[in-house]
Amino acid sequence: NRENRNLYKQMLDIYEKHGVLERSFLNLKSDKQIELGELSDKVVYMPTAIKALREEYKNLYLDKKINDALVADSIDTDGKRKQILSILEEAGEFEQENNKILSPRGLINEWWENLERRELDGIRTGYSELDKYIFFEKASLITIGARPAMGKTALGLNMAYKNSINHNVMYVNLEMSTRQITNRILASMSGVPLWKIKHKKIEDTEIQEIIKNLEKFEKLNLSILDCSDTNFHTIIQGIKRVHEKNNLNLIVIDYLTLMQARGFSNKNLEVEYMANRLKALSKELNTCIVVLAQLSREVEKRADKRPILSDLRDSGGIEQA
């Protein structure tokens, strides 16, 4: 109806202007706002909705055109066949090609173009010594494993905050309180020992150091996804919504096995599913996802304490991803 058409146009205008759609932007009566709020949980990711609309429109277009060709009395059977084939070919323009077929020449051309840009295909880790060995490459999934209390959360958070100075970064928090995150970042930025901030035993000179860094803290391009709901699919949709608006260069997840993908009776299968989905997500968003994970106790039983892939807890799926 006309009301829905006007609403849809208003939504498109807002999305094109702001890059995100919020109900508060809409000029609507309160009862209509409430109605939209009840329906909004069904719309989780704009590209998915657009893809569904394109598919529905394409099917309606095909049905109408093919039906018109079939009932046309002025065209013989062979003519109808040719016309239907032409319609199907034309309908291909509505498709968005996701699975591309590439030739070696195409791969080489793409490689040269990438080389000529002279830019790193990703971002640095934030640690100069570590940068000698790895970087956060686009479309990649990196797993950092450690036993509890070995500092993997501190490392992941530092990587996130250091890179958020110049890049868009998301930290997916499943373990700490937001206050703990703030304490850790301020301690790292100011040089004030974390234990002093925790116990509120900060001297006046240290308070001044923290104050100096507050403006820098506020300017960080850092999004914190604070997860009270550990449902894996809810977290994925949260990541996609922020990426749609900010084009994330790095996503750090702390940590893998705290997320839950319901419907799995076996933890190994659940972790395998999540690891594979995160790998596919990194490629879909063309960004690097760093996921923290715990090591099993097996590493402590060996004379050589250096960890290997199979030491990752519920590691079967992680190794394959």
Side-chain angles (χ1 to χ4, degrees):
N1 59 36
R2 179 178 294 178
E3 183 185 14
N4 285 341
R5 283 199 299 272
N6 291 336
L7 174 60
Y8 182 62
K9 184 179 184 304
Q10 193 182 152
M11 290 167 71
L12 282 176
D13 291 341
I14 290 170
Y15 183 74
E16 288 176 1
K17 181 178 179 181
H18 298 282
V20 64
L21 181 62
E22 299 286 352
R23 279 187 291 122
S24 59
F25 294 167
L26 295 169
N27 181 24
L28 296 172
K29 295 178 181 179
S30 57
D31 57 341
K32 193 67 177 179
Q33 288 270 15
I34 293 169
E35 181 185 341
L36 279 178
E38 292 171 347
L39 296 172
S40 63
D41 62 337
K42 296 179 176 62
V43 181
V44 292
Y45 188 42
M46 181 65 75
T48 303
I50 291 171
K51 185 177 180 181
L53 284 170
R54 287 170 62 91
E55 187 67 25
E56 184 176 352
Y57 178 72
K58 185 193 73 176
N59 290 336
L60 288 171
Y61 175 88
L62 281 176
D63 287 346
K64 184 179 184 306
K65 287 288 187 179
I66 291 173
N67 186 63
D68 289 347
L70 289 173
V71 299
D73 295 330
S74 59
I75 307 174
D76 60 19
T77 303
D78 189 54
K80 289 179 180 180
R81 181 183 65 81
K82 289 178 181 179
Q83 189 168 339
I84 289 172
L85 287 175
S86 176
I87 291 167
L88 291 173
E89 186 177 346
E90 184 183 349
E93 295 177 7
F94 294 109
E95 299 279 1
Q96 182 177 0
E97 187 65 67
N98 290 318
N99 299 325
K100 301 176 183 177
I101 299 174
L102 301 172
S103 67
R105 179 182 291 276
L107 293 174
I108 289 296
N109 289 340
E110 184 180 287
W111 184 84
W112 274 116
E113 288 173 6
N114 186 51
L115 182 67
E116 288 170 354
R117 284 200 300 267
R118 300 288 180 181
E119 295 176 359
L120 193 67
D121 198 21
I123 59 177
R124 303 291 183 187
T125 67
Y127 292 87
S128 56
E129 287 300 311
L130 191 57
D131 286 339
K132 296 176 183 177
Y133 304 97
I134 65 167
F135 69 97
F136 294 143
E137 189 174 8
K138 292 178 181 179
S140 64
L141 176 67
I142 296 175
T143 304
I144 298 176
R147 289 290 295 143
M150 295 301 292
K152 62 181 179 295
T153 291
L155 176 63
L157 185 58
N158 277 351
M159 286 175 167
Y161 116 71
K162 285 175 181 288
N163 275 295
S164 68
I165 296 170
N166 298 311
H167 305 281
N168 292 328
V169 178
M170 168 176 272
Y171 186 80
V172 181
N173 174 48
L174 294 110
E175 189 171 43
M176 297 183 291
S177 68
T178 51
R179 187 182 67 257
Q180 288 174 310
I181 291 175
T182 305
N183 285 345
R184 286 172 180 262
I185 294 178
L186 286 177
S188 184
M189 294 180 82
S190 65
V192 177
L194 179 59
W195 71 268
K196 282 194 170 186
I197 296 177
K198 281 183 176 180
H199 294 278
K200 301 180 182 178
K201 295 184 177 181
I202 314 172
E203 298 174 11
D204 290 344
T205 54
E206 292 170 331
I207 284 284
Q208 292 304 314
E209 284 300 317
I210 291 174
I211 291 172
K212 286 179 186 177
N213 285 279
L214 288 181
E215 188 177 353
K216 293 180 182 177
F217 183 94
E218 291 177 357
K219 290 182 178 179
L220 293 176
N221 302 305
L222 181 63
S223 302
I224 307 292
L225 183 59
D226 192 41
C227 304
S228 54
D229 183 356
T230 59
N231 181 277
F232 179 72
H233 298 98
T234 302
I235 292 169
I236 292 297
Q237 293 303 331
I239 291 171
K240 285 184 172 184
R241 283 196 296 271
V242 175
H243 180 80
E244 185 180 359
K245 182 178 178 181
N246 294 336
N247 191 25
L248 298 167
N249 303 109
L250 174 66
I251 299 163
V252 179
I253 300 176
D254 183 19
Y255 58 92
L256 179 62
T257 49
L258 286 179
M259 296 186 290
Q260 296 177 324
R262 298 185 179 97
F264 292 88
S265 57
N266 182 290
K267 189 64 179 178
N268 275 312
L269 292 176
E270 181 185 36
V271 171
E272 179 179 353
Y273 168 79
M274 291 191 295
N276 287 331
R277 182 66 188 89
L278 287 172
K279 176 60 181 175
L281 182 66
S282 71
K283 186 174 181 182
E284 178 186 340
L285 304 184
N286 194 32
T287 190
C288 179
I289 298 178
V290 174
V291 60
L292 308 183
Q294 286 194 353
L295 295 180
S296 68
R297 295 187 181 277
E298 293 302 312
V299 67
E300 298 171 359
K301 299 176 183 178
R302 300 195 305 265
D304 184 357
K305 297 292 192 291
R306 287 178 297 182
I308 55 178
L309 274 175
S310 60
D311 290 322
L312 289 166
R313 183 173 290 178
D314 306 303
S315 64
I318 304 174
E319 287 182 69
Q320 292 178 44

